[in-house]
Structures are given as C-alpha cells and as structure tokens.
Amino acid sequence: MPDATDNWAATSELEAVLASVAYLLTRSQAHERQTARAGIKAARSDIYLLRALAEAEDASRVGDLAAWLMVEPSHVTRQIDRLQAQQLVERTPDALDRRARQVALTVEGQAVLNRLKQANIASLMNALDGIPEPDVATTVGVLRHLVERYARKVRDELHPEAAAADATPDT
C-alpha cells in the first residue's frame, strides 16, 4: 500500500511536469507562432474566453464567463470589447434581464477558434509522435479530472459563499 512519502514524491514529480507543460504552452513566442499559423491575432486570455463561449450551449453573461474563467467581470468586459472589435463575438440583449447583455461567438469567431485548434492539434500530434494512443487517452482522462478538481477548488476559494451553498443539502 503506498504511503504518504510515495504520494508526496509522485505528486512532486507531477508538479514538475505540469510546470514544464504550463511554461511550454504559455510562452508568448509560442502563442504568437500558433496564432500566426492559424491566421489570427488574439491574446492568450482572449483564446480562453473564445473557448469558454464555444463550450457554452447558449450565449453567456459576462458574470458567468468571469466566474468560469476565474477573473473579475471588468476583465471579461475588456476582452469582449477587443473581440467584438474584431467581429469574433457579439453582444445581444438578455431576454430575461433588459439591463444585461448576452455574449456569443460569431461565425468568424468560431472559424478563428477552429483554425487555432487545428494548429494546436498539429503541433501536439508532432510532439506525441510515437506515443501509443491508449497512453494519450489515459493522460487526457487523468488531466481532465485534475483540471476539474483544481478549478473547483480555485472557484470555491474565490467564491466561498457559492461553495457553502452548494455543500448545503436541500431540505
């Protein structure tokens, strides 16, 4: 049975690998090369916003996007302004609240995101050459689980009142 020392060592190795991956994926020159290959000009944080909008089933409110991205709503508003100027997103009135606006990807925004994903996938396929597909699939599963748990923890720390409400059983 593994003990705490084994778990610490394995977690320490994982931390080092994740730090290396994060560094490699977030270098500004690498981002600029990938976006150039995709024929777009967007900041790294803007790409995450586009991805969040693409994953949403419908248009999203700024506050919901900010919570998902774990940033302040004012930051998301500035991003939306930049992306709207590039015609990548559009704002529409919220049917439930006249004061609020919904944000959604435009057709061009979806096309830009698709081009970037294709460029990223091509780079990853090159880097993963020779690694068996089952190993890649297992890695995806483990990393997805890790990301979900870590994001939940960060969101709970940012919004402890929401975490407490979620933990309260319905009566």
Side-chain angles (χ1 to χ4, degrees):
M1 172 179 268
D3 66 7
T5 305
D6 293 336
N7 196 17
W8 178 266
T11 304
S12 178
E13 287 181 41
L14 176 62
E15 186 277 335
V17 169
L18 291 175
S20 295
V21 168
Y23 172 75
L24 290 170
L25 293 175
T26 60
R27 292 172 311 128
S28 58
Q29 288 179 342
H31 171 78
E32 290 166 8
R33 277 194 305 276
Q34 288 296 82
T35 55
R37 282 187 199 122
I40 62 173
K41 293 180 182 173
R44 285 176 293 191
S45 60
D46 293 344
I47 300 302
Y48 290 112
L49 177 59
L50 291 175
R51 283 180 174 269
L53 287 167
E55 290 177 18
E57 292 181 20
D58 295 315
S60 301
R61 288 184 174 184
V62 170
D64 295 335
L65 291 166
W68 177 253
L69 296 169
M70 298 172 271
V71 298
E72 294 297 318
S74 60
H75 180 74
V76 173
T77 299
R78 286 189 298 273
Q79 287 180 278
I80 291 168
D81 289 343
R82 285 192 306 267
L83 294 170
Q84 188 172 23
Q86 297 175 62
Q87 300 180 339
L88 302 178
V89 301
E90 63 184 350
R91 289 180 171 115
T92 57
D94 186 322
L96 301 176
D97 183 351
R98 294 183 328 179
R99 299 167 297 164
R101 307 283 282 172
Q102 296 278 341
V103 182
L105 280 177
T106 62
V107 172
E108 177 61 19
Q110 185 64 57
V112 160
L113 189 55
N114 289 343
R115 288 194 310 268
L116 183 61
K117 283 182 179 182
Q118 293 304 315
N120 288 342
I121 290 168
S123 289
L124 280 171
M125 287 181 71
N126 189 38
L128 294 169
D129 186 40
I131 297 176
E133 188 278 333
D135 290 353
V136 174
T138 299
T139 302
V140 168
V142 170
L143 289 176
R144 183 173 285 136
H145 187 68
L146 175 65
V147 166
E148 288 168 359
R149 289 182 63 143
Y150 202 83
R152 187 174 342 145
K153 181 178 173 13
V154 170
R155 287 185 185 107
D156 289 351
E157 289 172 357
L158 290 172
H159 304 286
E161 66 287 349
D166 287 344
T168 304
D170 293 332
T171 55

